[in-house]
Amino acid sequence: MSVLKRYAQAAGMTDEAWKRHANPWSVWTRFAAIPLMIAAIWSREWIGWWALVPVGLVVVWLALNPHVFPAVEQPDSWTARGIYGEKLWLRDRSLVTGDHRSVQRLLIAVGVAGFALLIWGLIALEPWPTVFGATLITIGQLWRIDRLGQLYLAHQKASRE
């Protein structure tokens, strides 16, 4: 079992949780958590160990997020199709073929580079790697959602034929 599948199981990602996570409010509030987490970690400079309180609040929110919004039964929005596609991809990696697989690998590399820059920036309290890393992560995730949404649409079309 892959690391991502294990994480999804540990996070309680049941079919119902995936439908709730497909709600656009779930997706966009997770993106909103990126600058909140950055600010929470950066706040260690001002409030010391008390920074763990806002960090903990963001972590709790990220854990609860896929479970608190109404379920999306019909993925009509861009974000919902992307999350439904992510669920498909986690269940069967062979659905991603050809160019989609190459782009998926590129997006993983962009995300890893962004994460490394973000961590460096947060440790050193340097603005440019922090902002650049967060930007790479965000762009990579948005592109990934788009590609997984295309995967979902292609899968739906193939299952109707």
Side-chain angles (χ1 to χ4, degrees):
M1 181 183 306
S2 77
V3 172
L4 291 173
K5 280 185 184 177
R6 276 187 251 143
Y7 171 75
Q9 283 181 342
M13 294 303 289
T14 62
D15 284 339
E16 180 66 18
W18 277 106
K19 289 177 183 178
R20 289 174 177 278
H21 182 41
N23 187 306
W25 280 99
S26 175
V27 174
W28 296 120
T29 56
R30 286 180 80 81
F31 276 105
I34 295 170
L36 292 176
M37 181 61 89
I38 290 168
I41 293 170
W42 206 284
S43 73
R44 78 182 192 273
E45 182 72 7
W46 311 299
I47 60 176
W49 286 103
W50 285 101
L52 292 176
V53 173
V55 167
L57 290 172
V58 174
V59 169
V60 167
W61 168 248
L62 290 173
L64 292 175
N65 177 284
H67 307 281
V68 298
F69 294 101
V72 171
E73 299 295 335
Q74 291 298 322
D76 297 326
S77 71
W78 177 81
T79 53
R81 288 189 299 268
I83 299 304
Y84 269 64
E86 181 179 20
K87 180 182 169 190
L88 281 173
W89 173 69
L90 282 174
R91 292 206 173 151
D92 185 2
R93 297 278 178 94
S94 69
L95 293 173
V96 178
T97 59
D99 290 341
H100 286 281
R101 186 175 298 242
S102 299
V103 170
Q104 192 79 330
R105 287 185 180 133
L106 171 67
L107 295 176
I108 290 168
V110 167
V112 168
F115 189 72
L117 282 168
L118 178 63
I119 295 299
W120 168 35
L122 290 171
I123 290 170
L125 294 176
E126 289 288 336
W128 84 262
T130 303
V131 172
F132 190 56
T135 301
L136 284 178
I137 290 168
T138 302
I139 289 170
Q141 280 296 97
L142 288 169
W143 193 1
R144 189 171 160 276
I145 289 170
D146 185 66
R147 296 299 266 193
L148 291 170
Q150 291 177 26
L151 170 70
Y152 173 77
L153 290 174
H155 185 264
Q156 289 302 105
K157 182 179 177 185
S159 65
R160 284 192 299 259
E161 293 175 353

